[in-house]
Each structure stands twice: as structure tokens, then as C-alpha cells.
Amino acid sequence: PARYLSSPSTGKMGFAIADEARKRGARVTVISGPTEVRPPAGVGVVRVTTAREMHAAVLEHIGDATLFIGSAAVADLRPATVAAGKAKKEDAELTLALARNPDIIADVAAHRPRGCFVAGFAAETDDIEAAGREKLARKGLDCIVVNRIGGEIGGFASDDNEVVILWGDGGREAVARAPKSTIARRVLDRIDALRRAR
């Protein structure tokens, strides 16, 4: 009840994509974890707190979607048990048992509505394109947007980003460092092109 596992992600990239999609005429629903960033006007917002809540909300709302973009930096792991009360420092276990959270984007790709395009994001520290290609194939995605995290130029909590969009058998588009609103436009341009080419 007092502590949790998380990441430095703010939701800025997801909200930038939602705003750009809305401007293009899409009916947008954002499923958002805790953030201090205000969502864009004109989009539906479903608030969740945990990865399992996000998983359930996504599967509840995916029914008639034609496009799903998973940009949230969802925790892969959670504490295996939740204490009933706050653990005091002197009584706390020094070993924390962890359990895996559901893989939201993989489940969406496996159970997508007919014709739904599924795009994912991957934040990586090393060999980002190889890691992105592996996730693209393993999770059954239509495309994946990878970015480097860590160091001074990481994408978390920043107003801009630098990404590589990967798809298919060797498809690749590098997007130079730019505001996240520009990244959102480039990502949606690429998704539009890939959907038209189907």
C-alpha cells in the first residue's frame, strides 16, 4: 500500500499520439496509468493504476478498434504478494519476490479485432534495433517504434525523442530527435502508409 515498482515514463508520447490521431479525425480512447500530464482535449480517457488493470481495460475496449498503439511503459514485473500494511524498515524483507505482469501488446496482437493494426513501442538501452526486431516478431506486431533510454538523451520524461520505426521484413525509418508532437506525426504517417499498403 505504500510503495510500488514503476518507471520514469510520463505518458507524454502516448498523449502526443492521441492528440495527433484526434486531429486526423480518429475517435481516440487513451488508457492511461498515473501521470501528471494532462490528456489532450477531445479524447476519451480511462484511468488505471496497475499493469493488470491496464491489461483488463485494454481488452475491454479493443472490441471495435481499427488501430491500437501501445506506447505505455508498463511494468513487466510486480511484487508477488502485496502486504496488508506498510512494511517498517526494520521488519522489511531484504528479498522481494516478483511475478510477471501480462504482456498487453502481445495479447492485443493475438486477440485483435479483424483488420486491426497493432503498433508497439520499445524502450531499450542496448542494440535497440535488434531488440526491436525481436519484439516485433515475437509479439506479432505490425510495426514497432524503438527508442534509446538512459543517459542524458533518453526518451523518458523528455519533451522530445529520437526513434526508429521497424516493420515487416526489413522495413525501417529513422526519425531524428524532435518534439514528441513531431514524432507522433511521423509515426502516424508511417502507420497510415503501412495500412494503405495492406
Side-chain angles (χ1 to χ4, degrees), residues 73-126:
V74 182
D76 295 322
L77 303 167
R78 68 179 186 276
T81 58
V82 177
K86 180 181 175 184
K88 303 299 183 188
K89 289 180 187 176
E90 56 274 11
D91 298 330
E93 292 288 332
L94 297 180
T95 301
L96 180 64
L98 300 174
R100 291 192 184 282
N101 277 321
D103 189 327
I104 297 170
I105 194 83
D107 284 353
V108 167
H111 305 290
R112 69 179 84 187
R114 185 177 180 86
C116 181
F117 188 100
V118 179
F121 271 67
E124 301 290 345
T125 56
D126 302 301

Side-chain angles (χ1 to χ4, degrees), residues 31-98:
I31 300 173
S32 174
T35 181
E36 294 179 6
V37 179
R38 293 182 66 178
V43 305
V45 179
V46 176
R47 298 283 185 181
V48 297
T49 302
T50 69
R52 288 185 290 177
E53 288 174 3
M54 182 172 278
H55 182 261
V58 164
L59 294 183
E60 179 184 336
H61 287 84
I62 194 69
D64 61 350
T66 56
L67 170 61
F68 179 88
I69 302 175
S71 66
V74 182
D76 295 322
L77 303 167
R78 68 179 186 276
T81 58
V82 177
K86 180 181 175 184
K88 303 299 183 188
K89 289 180 187 176
E90 56 274 11
D91 298 330
E93 292 288 332
L94 297 180
T95 301
L96 180 64
L98 300 174

Side-chain angles (χ1 to χ4, degrees), residues 141-178:
L141 308 180
D142 295 303
C143 77
I144 193 163
V145 182
V146 293
N147 68 283
R148 188 175 306 281
I149 57 170
E152 295 179 12
I153 62 167
F156 285 154
S158 172
D159 289 330
D160 33 68
N161 206 350
E162 178 179 348
V163 304
V164 179
I165 308 167
L166 305 171
W167 66 91
D169 190 18
R172 178 187 187 276
E173 178 183 355
V175 183
R177 191 157 198 86

